[in-house]
Amino acid sequence: MPAISMFIMGLTLYYSMVIAAKFNVFDYSKWSIKVYGRTGAIMAPAYEILFNGVLVLATAVAFATGGSTLEKAIGTPYLLNTVVIAGVIFVLTIYGSALVRKAATVISLILIACIFIIYLPNIIYFFPKILHNFAALKSGAFDTGVHSSFVDTLWWGVKYGALQCCAVGAYIVHTKVCPDKSCLKKAAILGFLINTGIMYLTYFGIMAFLDEGVLKEAVPSLFVVMNGVGGTWMTVLITVCIVVGAVSTGVALVYGTTNRLTNFFGRNLDEAKRAEKRGFHSIIASIILVVICWLVAQLGLIPLIGKGYGSLGWVSMLVVTVPVVLRGLGLWKFSTEK
């Protein structure tokens, strides 16, 4: 259910940014207090715990995935790979939102291009096989290890979309660049269309190798390339794509919390002193976050992360998605609107 997941994510992100622009709150702590209103004493800390927990887990997964991919593709040590990825994320984070946005734009374009280059040839070449595997899957000929009804599949799609909504705290800071509601709406619609398209490309690309055990692979996309159309150069391309994606994930999530911690560190300083110390505080915050995420990846907690994501999905739905959408639709009015 990629479309369902991306719709939930897009709608929540759109309303989150609308709220941020409306009340001029671009720090996720202040934003959450505004969103939760009278329930903020309980819900705002709950969101902070949820957001930072997902930040650590998601960034650790990014480190581990990028490190493992490089290790398998070019043979460099996993530890070295994750250190390099951590260093890149750290540098991009401490240079502020302008560089982060610029990097995110370039990275997004690279990823979109890579996805199309990698999956379209495989989908076209293996299209008859995709149809065969799809029919076999529906008939129950393949044992994927998951026996789900339509309702179960829909529920997982909803949970996955809700899980992604945890990251809104990292993205609302970028609302400063696009505070206009019509601009935010265009961004949300375009993001939904692109993300949904990419998800379906990935789905059909993987479907071509369903009968070869692709779902048991740690990195299915790498399996598709190594066993599909393209050969060596495609393997290089998917490696770049995965590593760039790991950096993109880390930068987006770490920067959002770095901004929050920087404000926290300077909370007792006057305006001039806070501005003077902001660069230093940003470096300290980035180091703390990157090191924690890197350590989680090294400690072998990635399997636990995978198991925890399902539970975090419905928690995020209750803590983030439902309140934000209710606020956005006007079903839960702000105190100033009553």
Side-chain angles (χ1 to χ4, degrees), residues 52-68 78 81-83 85-86 89 245-247 249-251 253-254 289-306 309:
N52 286 289
V54 170
L55 178 145
V56 171
L57 298 181
T59 308
V61 168
F63 281 13
T65 304
S68 298
Y78 173 83
N81 297 337
T82 54
V83 168
I85 291 172
I89 290 173
V247 171
T249 299
V251 169
L253 293 177
V254 171
L289 292 168
V290 170
V291 168
I292 290 174
C293 295
W294 181 81
L295 286 174
V296 171
Q298 307 309 312
L299 293 174
L301 298 179
I302 304 307
L304 295 177
I305 292 169
Y309 268 15

Side-chain angles (χ1 to χ4, degrees), residues 36 43 46-47 50 155 162-163 165-166 311-324 326 332:
Y36 297 121
M43 295 298 289
Y47 173 66
L50 178 65
W155 175 235
L163 174 64
C165 296
C166 288
S311 300
L312 286 175
W314 67 263
V315 174
S316 178
M317 188 187 310
L318 296 176
V319 175
V320 183
T321 305
V322 172
V324 169
L326 288 177
W332 182 17

Side-chain angles (χ1 to χ4, degrees), residues 94-334:
I94 63 173
Y95 279 99
S97 59
L99 183 55
V100 171
R101 285 192 299 271
K102 187 181 294 184
T105 301
V106 173
I107 287 170
S108 297
L109 292 174
I110 292 173
L111 288 177
I112 292 169
C114 286
I115 291 295
F116 275 90
I117 292 171
I118 290 165
Y119 282 107
L120 271 182
N122 281 286
I123 291 172
I124 293 171
Y125 184 82
F126 291 107
F127 191 69
K129 189 180 178 185
I130 291 172
L131 294 178
H132 176 268
N133 286 346
F134 187 74
L137 180 65
K138 288 186 67 176
S139 68
F142 291 146
D143 183 11
T144 62
V146 179
H147 303 283
S148 302
S149 64
F150 173 79
V151 174
D152 292 329
T153 304
L154 179 63
W155 175 235
W156 272 101
V158 170
K159 285 201 296 183
Y160 179 78
L163 174 64
Q164 305 308 307
C165 296
C166 288
V168 296
Y171 297 118
I172 54 174
V173 65
H174 302 300
T175 310
K176 294 178 183 179
V177 181
C178 184
D180 182 69
K181 196 171 182 178
S182 62
C183 176
L184 292 174
K185 187 176 294 184
K186 290 177 183 177
I189 293 172
L190 185 60
F192 165 75
L193 293 174
I194 292 174
N195 286 326
T196 301
I198 288 174
M199 292 284 282
Y200 277 110
L201 279 175
T202 306
Y203 171 80
F204 286 114
I206 290 174
M207 182 64 72
F209 300 93
L210 191 64
D211 57 334
E212 299 180 31
V214 66
L215 295 182
K216 297 179 182 179
E217 294 291 322
V219 187
S221 296
L222 195 57
F223 182 90
V224 170
V225 170
M226 295 178 74
N227 293 274
V229 176
T232 303
W233 76 271
M234 277 282 199
T235 302
V236 173
L237 186 61
I238 191 64
T239 300
V240 172
C241 189
I242 292 172
V243 173
V244 168
V247 171
S248 176
T249 299
V251 169
L253 293 177
V254 171
Y255 180 75
T257 302
T258 294
N259 186 61
R260 164 77 176 98
L261 287 177
T262 299
N263 291 336
F264 176 77
F265 291 154
R267 66 192 183 284
N268 295 324
L269 302 176
D270 58 49
E271 195 68 33
K273 200 69 175 177
R274 189 184 303 123
E276 179 186 338
K277 292 284 188 180
R278 187 168 184 82
F280 174 73
H281 288 160
S282 178
I283 291 173
I284 297 300
S286 298
I287 290 174
I288 292 171
L289 292 168
V290 170
V291 168
I292 290 174
C293 295
W294 181 81
L295 286 174
V296 171
Q298 307 309 312
L299 293 174
L301 298 179
I302 304 307
L304 295 177
I305 292 169
K307 293 179 181 178
Y309 268 15
S311 300
L312 286 175
W314 67 263
V315 174
S316 178
M317 188 187 310
L318 296 176
V319 175
V320 183
T321 305
V322 172
V324 169
V325 172
L326 288 177
R327 288 291 200 189
L329 293 175
L331 299 177
W332 182 17
K333 295 186 179 297
F334 293 99

